[in-house]
PDB file of all heavy atoms in Angstrom:
ATOM      1  N   ALA H 222      98.068  64.070 137.285  1.00  0.00           N
ATOM      2  CA  ALA H 222      97.040  63.426 136.471  1.00  0.00           C
ATOM      3  C   ALA H 222      95.660  63.674 137.059  1.00  0.00           C
ATOM      4  O   ALA H 222      94.672  64.001 136.326  1.00  0.00           O
ATOM      5  CB  ALA H 222      97.303  61.936 136.308  1.00  0.00           C
ATOM      6  N   ALA H 223      95.512  63.530 138.411  1.00  0.00           N
ATOM      7  CA  ALA H 223      94.258  63.773 139.041  1.00  0.00           C
ATOM      8  C   ALA H 223      93.831  65.212 138.921  1.00  0.00           C
ATOM      9  O   ALA H 223      92.628  65.508 138.776  1.00  0.00           O
ATOM     10  CB  ALA H 223      94.385  63.391 140.536  1.00  0.00           C
ATOM     11  N   SER H 224      94.771  66.143 138.966  1.00  0.00           N
ATOM     12  CA  SER H 224      94.430  67.535 138.860  1.00  0.00           C
ATOM     13  C   SER H 224      93.903  67.912 137.490  1.00  0.00           C
ATOM     14  O   SER H 224      93.015  68.763 137.336  1.00  0.00           O
ATOM     15  CB  SER H 224      95.660  68.422 139.198  1.00  0.00           C
ATOM     16  OG  SER H 224      96.626  68.294 138.182  1.00  0.00           O
ATOM     17  N   VAL H 225      94.420  67.191 136.472  1.00  0.00           N
ATOM     18  CA  VAL H 225      93.958  67.375 135.101  1.00  0.00           C
ATOM     19  C   VAL H 225      92.526  66.959 134.967  1.00  0.00           C
ATOM     20  O   VAL H 225      91.640  67.659 134.404  1.00  0.00           O
ATOM     21  CB  VAL H 225      94.834  66.638 134.072  1.00  0.00           C
ATOM     22  CG1 VAL H 225      94.224  66.681 132.686  1.00  0.00           C
ATOM     23  CG2 VAL H 225      96.233  67.178 134.033  1.00  0.00           C
ATOM     24  N   VAL H 226      92.202  65.776 135.539  1.00  0.00           N
ATOM     25  CA  VAL H 226      90.817  65.275 135.525  1.00  0.00           C
ATOM     26  C   VAL H 226      89.902  66.227 136.262  1.00  0.00           C
ATOM     27  O   VAL H 226      88.764  66.535 135.813  1.00  0.00           O
ATOM     28  CB  VAL H 226      90.756  63.858 136.111  1.00  0.00           C
ATOM     29  CG1 VAL H 226      89.325  63.363 136.250  1.00  0.00           C
ATOM     30  CG2 VAL H 226      91.564  62.890 135.266  1.00  0.00           C
ATOM     31  N   ILE H 227      90.279  66.676 137.465  1.00  0.00           N
ATOM     32  CA  ILE H 227      89.515  67.586 138.183  1.00  0.00           C
ATOM     33  C   ILE H 227      89.233  68.894 137.480  1.00  0.00           C
ATOM     34  O   ILE H 227      88.110  69.410 137.472  1.00  0.00           O
ATOM     35  CB  ILE H 227      90.190  67.870 139.601  1.00  0.00           C
ATOM     36  CG1 ILE H 227      90.190  66.616 140.434  1.00  0.00           C
ATOM     37  CG2 ILE H 227      89.441  69.006 140.301  1.00  0.00           C
ATOM     38  CD1 ILE H 227      91.030  66.761 141.704  1.00  0.00           C
ATOM     39  N   THR H 228      90.256  69.409 136.803  1.00  0.00           N
ATOM     40  CA  THR H 228      90.138  70.626 136.044  1.00  0.00           C
ATOM     41  C   THR H 228      89.120  70.470 134.966  1.00  0.00           C
ATOM     42  O   THR H 228      88.246  71.383 134.736  1.00  0.00           O
ATOM     43  CB  THR H 228      91.469  71.059 135.455  1.00  0.00           C
ATOM     44  OG1 THR H 228      92.429  71.258 136.535  1.00  0.00           O
ATOM     45  CG2 THR H 228      91.372  72.331 134.644  1.00  0.00           C
ATOM     46  N   ILE H 229      89.170  69.353 134.205  1.00  0.00           N
ATOM     47  CA  ILE H 229      88.188  69.116 133.139  1.00  0.00           C
ATOM     48  C   ILE H 229      86.789  69.062 133.684  1.00  0.00           C
ATOM     49  O   ILE H 229      85.840  69.678 133.104  1.00  0.00           O
ATOM     50  CB  ILE H 229      88.536  67.790 132.375  1.00  0.00           C
ATOM     51  CG1 ILE H 229      89.862  67.977 131.657  1.00  0.00           C
ATOM     52  CG2 ILE H 229      87.423  67.424 131.405  1.00  0.00           C
ATOM     53  CD1 ILE H 229      90.405  66.699 131.058  1.00  0.00           C
ATOM     54  N   LEU H 230      86.576  68.395 134.801  1.00  0.00           N
ATOM     55  CA  LEU H 230      85.260  68.329 135.418  1.00  0.00           C
ATOM     56  C   LEU H 230      84.770  69.689 135.836  1.00  0.00           C
ATOM     57  O   LEU H 230      83.599  70.019 135.677  1.00  0.00           O
ATOM     58  CB  LEU H 230      85.323  67.347 136.599  1.00  0.00           C
ATOM     59  CG  LEU H 230      85.552  65.831 136.282  1.00  0.00           C
ATOM     60  CD1 LEU H 230      85.720  65.070 137.561  1.00  0.00           C
ATOM     61  CD2 LEU H 230      84.446  65.315 135.430  1.00  0.00           C
ATOM     62  N   ILE H 231      85.690  70.513 136.400  1.00  0.00           N
ATOM     63  CA  ILE H 231      85.313  71.825 136.874  1.00  0.00           C
ATOM     64  C   ILE H 231      84.890  72.721 135.706  1.00  0.00           C
ATOM     65  O   ILE H 231      83.901  73.444 135.737  1.00  0.00           O
ATOM     66  CB  ILE H 231      86.471  72.488 137.658  1.00  0.00           C
ATOM     67  CG1 ILE H 231      86.648  71.780 139.011  1.00  0.00           C
ATOM     68  CG2 ILE H 231      86.206  73.971 137.925  1.00  0.00           C
ATOM     69  CD1 ILE H 231      87.831  72.269 139.808  1.00  0.00           C
ATOM     70  N   ILE H 232      85.640  72.620 134.601  1.00  0.00           N
ATOM     71  CA  ILE H 232      85.364  73.453 133.406  1.00  0.00           C
ATOM     72  C   ILE H 232      83.983  73.153 132.848  1.00  0.00           C
ATOM     73  O   ILE H 232      83.198  74.026 132.508  1.00  0.00           O
ATOM     74  CB  ILE H 232      86.426  73.219 132.326  1.00  0.00           C
ATOM     75  CG1 ILE H 232      87.733  73.856 132.772  1.00  0.00           C
ATOM     76  CG2 ILE H 232      85.982  73.831 131.000  1.00  0.00           C
ATOM     77  CD1 ILE H 232      88.916  73.578 131.797  1.00  0.00           C
ATOM     78  N   TYR H 233      83.630  71.813 132.829  1.00  0.00           N
ATOM     79  CA  TYR H 233      82.333  71.461 132.270  1.00  0.00           C
ATOM     80  C   TYR H 233      81.204  71.702 133.276  1.00  0.00           C
ATOM     81  O   TYR H 233      80.045  71.833 132.912  1.00  0.00           O
ATOM     82  CB  TYR H 233      82.330  69.961 131.871  1.00  0.00           C
ATOM     83  CG  TYR H 233      82.983  69.765 130.557  1.00  0.00           C
ATOM     84  CD1 TYR H 233      84.306  69.379 130.442  1.00  0.00           C
ATOM     85  CD2 TYR H 233      82.295  69.985 129.339  1.00  0.00           C
ATOM     86  CE1 TYR H 233      84.940  69.182 129.204  1.00  0.00           C
ATOM     87  CE2 TYR H 233      82.908  69.799 128.044  1.00  0.00           C
ATOM     88  CZ  TYR H 233      84.198  69.400 128.067  1.00  0.00           C
ATOM     89  OH  TYR H 233      84.836  69.236 126.823  1.00  0.00           O
ATOM     90  N   SER H 234      81.537  71.685 134.567  1.00  0.00           N
ATOM     91  CA  SER H 234      80.490  71.891 135.588  1.00  0.00           C
ATOM     92  C   SER H 234      80.420  73.380 135.999  1.00  0.00           C
ATOM     93  O   SER H 234      79.431  73.776 136.665  1.00  0.00           O
ATOM     94  CB  SER H 234      80.811  71.064 136.839  1.00  0.00           C
ATOM     95  OG  SER H 234      80.908  69.739 136.525  1.00  0.00           O
ATOM     96  N   GLY H 235      81.386  74.163 135.584  1.00  0.00           N
ATOM     97  CA  GLY H 235      81.418  75.587 135.995  1.00  0.00           C
ATOM     98  C   GLY H 235      80.260  76.360 135.463  1.00  0.00           C
ATOM     99  O   GLY H 235      79.885  77.407 136.056  1.00  0.00           O
ATOM    100  N   LYS H 236      79.654  75.930 134.341  1.00  0.00           N
ATOM    101  CA  LYS H 236      78.520  76.682 133.825  1.00  0.00           C
ATOM    102  C   LYS H 236      77.290  76.627 134.780  1.00  0.00           C
ATOM    103  O   LYS H 236      76.490  77.544 134.851  1.00  0.00           O
ATOM    104  CB  LYS H 236      78.107  76.098 132.456  1.00  0.00           C
ATOM    105  CG  LYS H 236      79.211  76.314 131.397  1.00  0.00           C
ATOM    106  CD  LYS H 236      78.779  75.703 130.043  1.00  0.00           C
ATOM    107  CE  LYS H 236      79.884  75.940 128.994  1.00  0.00           C
ATOM    108  NZ  LYS H 236      79.518  75.291 127.687  1.00  0.00           N
ATOM    109  N   LYS H 237      77.204  75.486 135.462  1.00  0.00           N
ATOM    110  CA  LYS H 237      76.086  75.334 136.439  1.00  0.00           C
ATOM    111  C   LYS H 237      76.482  75.796 137.799  1.00  0.00           C
ATOM    112  O   LYS H 237      75.678  76.354 138.552  1.00  0.00           O
ATOM    113  CB  LYS H 237      75.672  73.883 136.498  1.00  0.00           C
ATOM    114  CG  LYS H 237      75.088  73.346 135.170  1.00  0.00           C
ATOM    115  CD  LYS H 237      74.636  71.882 135.322  1.00  0.00           C
ATOM    116  CE  LYS H 237      74.047  71.334 134.027  1.00  0.00           C
ATOM    117  NZ  LYS H 237      73.616  69.928 134.145  1.00  0.00           N
ATOM    118  N   PHE H 238      77.736  75.592 138.196  1.00  0.00           N
ATOM    119  CA  PHE H 238      78.213  75.929 139.512  1.00  0.00           C
ATOM    120  C   PHE H 238      79.419  76.860 139.378  1.00  0.00           C
ATOM    121  O   PHE H 238      80.530  76.415 139.317  1.00  0.00           O
ATOM    122  CB  PHE H 238      78.557  74.684 140.328  1.00  0.00           C
ATOM    123  CG  PHE H 238      77.513  73.662 140.393  1.00  0.00           C
ATOM    124  CD1 PHE H 238      77.526  72.541 139.532  1.00  0.00           C
ATOM    125  CD2 PHE H 238      76.430  73.784 141.232  1.00  0.00           C
ATOM    126  CE1 PHE H 238      76.552  71.577 139.554  1.00  0.00           C
ATOM    127  CE2 PHE H 238      75.453  72.833 141.301  1.00  0.00           C
ATOM    128  CZ  PHE H 238      75.480  71.752 140.459  1.00  0.00           C
ATOM    129  N   GLN H 239      79.167  78.169 139.350  1.00  0.00           N
ATOM    130  CA  GLN H 239      80.217  79.169 139.138  1.00  0.00           C
ATOM    131  C   GLN H 239      81.277  79.130 140.193  1.00  0.00           C
ATOM    132  O   GLN H 239      82.459  79.418 139.942  1.00  0.00           O
ATOM    133  CB  GLN H 239      79.595  80.574 139.039  1.00  0.00           C
ATOM    134  CG  GLN H 239      78.687  80.796 137.815  1.00  0.00           C
ATOM    135  CD  GLN H 239      79.488  80.842 136.537  1.00  0.00           C
ATOM    136  OE1 GLN H 239      80.677  81.249 136.508  1.00  0.00           O
ATOM    137  NE2 GLN H 239      78.925  80.360 135.436  1.00  0.00           N
ATOM    138  N   TRP H 240      80.899  78.793 141.402  1.00  0.00           N
ATOM    139  CA  TRP H 240      81.873  78.824 142.524  1.00  0.00           C
ATOM    140  C   TRP H 240      82.989  77.808 142.360  1.00  0.00           C
ATOM    141  O   TRP H 240      84.084  77.941 142.917  1.00  0.00           O
ATOM    142  CB  TRP H 240      81.149  78.578 143.885  1.00  0.00           C
ATOM    143  CG  TRP H 240      80.450  77.246 143.939  1.00  0.00           C
ATOM    144  CD1 TRP H 240      79.175  76.955 143.573  1.00  0.00           C
ATOM    145  CD2 TRP H 240      81.029  76.018 144.449  1.00  0.00           C
ATOM    146  NE1 TRP H 240      78.921  75.621 143.780  1.00  0.00           N
ATOM    147  CE2 TRP H 240      80.050  75.022 144.314  1.00  0.00           C
ATOM    148  CE3 TRP H 240      82.268  75.685 144.957  1.00  0.00           C
ATOM    149  CZ2 TRP H 240      80.232  73.700 144.723  1.00  0.00           C
ATOM    150  CZ3 TRP H 240      82.510  74.329 145.350  1.00  0.00           C
ATOM    151  CH2 TRP H 240      81.491  73.405 145.231  1.00  0.00           C
ATOM    152  N   LEU H 241      82.712  76.777 141.538  1.00  0.00           N
ATOM    153  CA  LEU H 241      83.754  75.775 141.302  1.00  0.00           C
ATOM    154  C   LEU H 241      84.921  76.316 140.515  1.00  0.00           C
ATOM    155  O   LEU H 241      86.069  75.812 140.645  1.00  0.00           O
ATOM    156  CB  LEU H 241      83.144  74.595 140.514  1.00  0.00           C
ATOM    157  CG  LEU H 241      82.208  73.640 141.281  1.00  0.00           C
ATOM    158  CD1 LEU H 241      81.598  72.619 140.328  1.00  0.00           C
ATOM    159  CD2 LEU H 241      82.971  72.935 142.399  1.00  0.00           C
ATOM    160  N   LEU H 242      84.705  77.354 139.718  1.00  0.00           N
ATOM    161  CA  LEU H 242      85.794  77.909 138.906  1.00  0.00           C
ATOM    162  C   LEU H 242      86.896  78.502 139.733  1.00  0.00           C
ATOM    163  O   LEU H 242      88.050  78.584 139.293  1.00  0.00           O
ATOM    164  CB  LEU H 242      85.217  78.993 137.969  1.00  0.00           C
ATOM    165  CG  LEU H 242      84.201  78.509 136.915  1.00  0.00           C
ATOM    166  CD1 LEU H 242      83.665  79.682 136.111  1.00  0.00           C
ATOM    167  CD2 LEU H 242      84.867  77.463 135.986  1.00  0.00           C
ATOM    168  N   SER H 243      86.564  78.920 141.007  1.00  0.00           N
ATOM    169  CA  SER H 243      87.615  79.490 141.876  1.00  0.00           C
ATOM    170  C   SER H 243      88.627  78.409 142.261  1.00  0.00           C
ATOM    171  O   SER H 243      89.776  78.764 142.675  1.00  0.00           O
ATOM    172  CB  SER H 243      86.969  80.092 143.132  1.00  0.00           C
ATOM    173  OG  SER H 243      86.265  79.088 143.846  1.00  0.00           O
ATOM    174  N   LEU H 244      88.261  77.117 142.151  1.00  0.00           N
ATOM    175  CA  LEU H 244      89.184  76.045 142.510  1.00  0.00           C
ATOM    176  C   LEU H 244      90.269  75.873 141.441  1.00  0.00           C
ATOM    177  O   LEU H 244      91.301  75.212 141.729  1.00  0.00           O
ATOM    178  CB  LEU H 244      88.411  74.724 142.634  1.00  0.00           C
ATOM    179  CG  LEU H 244      87.343  74.695 143.777  1.00  0.00           C
ATOM    180  CD1 LEU H 244      86.609  73.349 143.723  1.00  0.00           C
ATOM    181  CD2 LEU H 244      88.019  74.939 145.106  1.00  0.00           C
ATOM    182  N   LEU H 245      90.071  76.482 140.264  1.00  0.00           N
ATOM    183  CA  LEU H 245      91.085  76.341 139.190  1.00  0.00           C
ATOM    184  C   LEU H 245      92.367  77.087 139.514  1.00  0.00           C
ATOM    185  O   LEU H 245      93.445  76.764 138.989  1.00  0.00           O
ATOM    186  CB  LEU H 245      90.501  76.877 137.873  1.00  0.00           C
ATOM    187  CG  LEU H 245      89.387  76.012 137.245  1.00  0.00           C
ATOM    188  CD1 LEU H 245      88.872  76.699 136.013  1.00  0.00           C
ATOM    189  CD2 LEU H 245      89.888  74.664 136.945  1.00  0.00           C
ATOM    190  N   VAL H 246      92.262  78.187 140.365  1.00  0.00           N
ATOM    191  CA  VAL H 246      93.431  78.997 140.615  1.00  0.00           C
ATOM    192  C   VAL H 246      94.585  78.215 141.244  1.00  0.00           C
ATOM    193  O   VAL H 246      95.696  78.235 140.757  1.00  0.00           O
ATOM    194  CB  VAL H 246      93.039  80.233 141.494  1.00  0.00           C
ATOM    195  CG1 VAL H 246      94.305  81.032 141.808  1.00  0.00           C
ATOM    196  CG2 VAL H 246      92.050  81.070 140.738  1.00  0.00           C
ATOM    197  N   PRO H 247      94.309  77.454 142.355  1.00  0.00           N
ATOM    198  CA  PRO H 247      95.434  76.733 142.938  1.00  0.00           C
ATOM    199  C   PRO H 247      95.939  75.531 142.012  1.00  0.00           C
ATOM    200  O   PRO H 247      97.085  75.175 142.056  1.00  0.00           O
ATOM    201  CB  PRO H 247      94.872  76.116 144.255  1.00  0.00           C
ATOM    202  CG  PRO H 247      93.380  76.166 144.056  1.00  0.00           C
ATOM    203  CD  PRO H 247      93.122  77.320 143.248  1.00  0.00           C
ATOM    204  N   LEU H 248      94.998  75.012 141.187  1.00  0.00           N
ATOM    205  CA  LEU H 248      95.460  73.929 140.290  1.00  0.00           C
ATOM    206  C   LEU H 248      96.391  74.433 139.192  1.00  0.00           C
ATOM    207  O   LEU H 248      97.249  73.645 138.731  1.00  0.00           O
ATOM    208  CB  LEU H 248      94.206  73.344 139.631  1.00  0.00           C
ATOM    209  CG  LEU H 248      93.295  72.524 140.538  1.00  0.00           C
ATOM    210  CD1 LEU H 248      92.014  72.047 139.802  1.00  0.00           C
ATOM    211  CD2 LEU H 248      94.005  71.258 141.037  1.00  0.00           C
ATOM    212  N   THR H 249      96.277  75.688 138.824  1.00  0.00           N
ATOM    213  CA  THR H 249      97.133  76.193 137.759  1.00  0.00           C
ATOM    214  C   THR H 249      98.588  76.240 138.152  1.00  0.00           C
ATOM    215  O   THR H 249      99.474  76.328 137.322  1.00  0.00           O
ATOM    216  CB  THR H 249      96.704  77.640 137.335  1.00  0.00           C
ATOM    217  OG1 THR H 249      96.705  78.464 138.463  1.00  0.00           O
ATOM    218  CG2 THR H 249      95.342  77.607 136.685  1.00  0.00           C
TER     219      THR H 249
END
Side-chain angles (χ1 to χ4, degrees):
S224 68
V225 172
V226 175
I227 293 172
T228 298
I229 294 173
L230 292 174
I231 290 175
I232 290 174
Y233 281 97
S234 304
K236 296 179 179 179
K237 295 182 179 180
F238 307 100
Q239 292 290 329
W240 61 271
L241 286 174
L242 296 176
S243 61
L244 298 177
L245 291 176
V246 177
L248 289 174
T249 56

